[in-house]
Amino acid sequence: FLELSRPYLREWGDDWVQKAPRRFVYYDRYQTELFPGQDRKIVILSEVLASPCTIGYEELQDLIVTRVNGIAIHGLDDLAAATRKPLAGFHKIEFQDPPREIYLDAQDVIAREAWLMKTYGLPALRR
């Protein structure tokens, strides 16, 4: 998960305005007008790290996150807070576009944290 930013868009190269997903370019350009007077960020599921708890979700990428566990997401702080409140033992992640929602077993996610860090060489799972 990450917040939509210009550095992220530049990952598509020098011609990112043409190569990045159109909706991301639009939100980058008009975010201030779309959310006037709000310190709101667009949160994106950029990609899924393949693991036993994400089977079936490996192909998901570049999805705008709208809610997690019933909590509206307006930045990474909201996402972090929402993941501390699973619903009936599951994390329900809702997106703007299909698939509209996915579910992850909250205990399985916690149990796999060390495995994810080791497998993918991650110094931390959150920053």
Side-chain angles (χ1 to χ4, degrees):
F1 296 98
L2 53 84
E3 291 177 350
L4 179 63
S5 66
R6 187 68 53 91
Y8 175 67
L9 292 172
R10 288 191 177 126
E11 292 293 318
W12 273 274
D14 291 337
D15 195 21
W16 63 268
V17 172
Q18 297 300 319
K19 293 181 179 178
R22 290 261 183 242
R23 67 190 183 285
F24 292 173
V25 174
Y26 173 82
Y27 282 125
D28 177 67
R29 172 64 181 94
Y30 296 106
Q31 199 165 189
T32 305
E33 290 87 355
L34 292 169
F35 311 115
Q38 299 179 33
D39 184 25
R40 181 175 176 175
K41 304 291 182 191
I42 304 293
V43 175
I44 299 165
L45 170 70
S46 61
E47 66 180 299
V48 174
L49 299 176
S51 78
C53 60
T54 60
I55 292 173
Y57 300 143
E58 301 90 345
E59 299 298 318
L60 298 180
Q61 64 181 24
D62 300 329
L63 294 170
I64 296 173
V65 179
T66 56
R67 300 176 76 79
V68 173
N69 298 332
I71 299 170
I73 303 301
H74 302 294
L76 290 177
D77 290 340
D78 293 338
L79 180 70
T83 59
R84 290 191 287 274
K85 301 175 184 177
L87 302 172
F90 290 88
H91 291 301
K92 178 182 179 184
I93 304 169
E94 299 176 60
F95 304 105
Q96 188 176 61
D97 297 308
R100 296 286 182 194
E101 58 191 39
I102 63 172
Y103 293 85
L104 298 173
D105 182 301
Q107 290 301 317
D108 197 21
V109 169
I110 291 169
R112 304 274 180 198
E113 285 183 350
W115 180 87
L116 282 167
M117 290 173 64
K118 181 179 178 187
T119 302
Y120 291 99
L122 303 172
L125 293 178
R126 294 172 189 86
R127 287 193 275 151

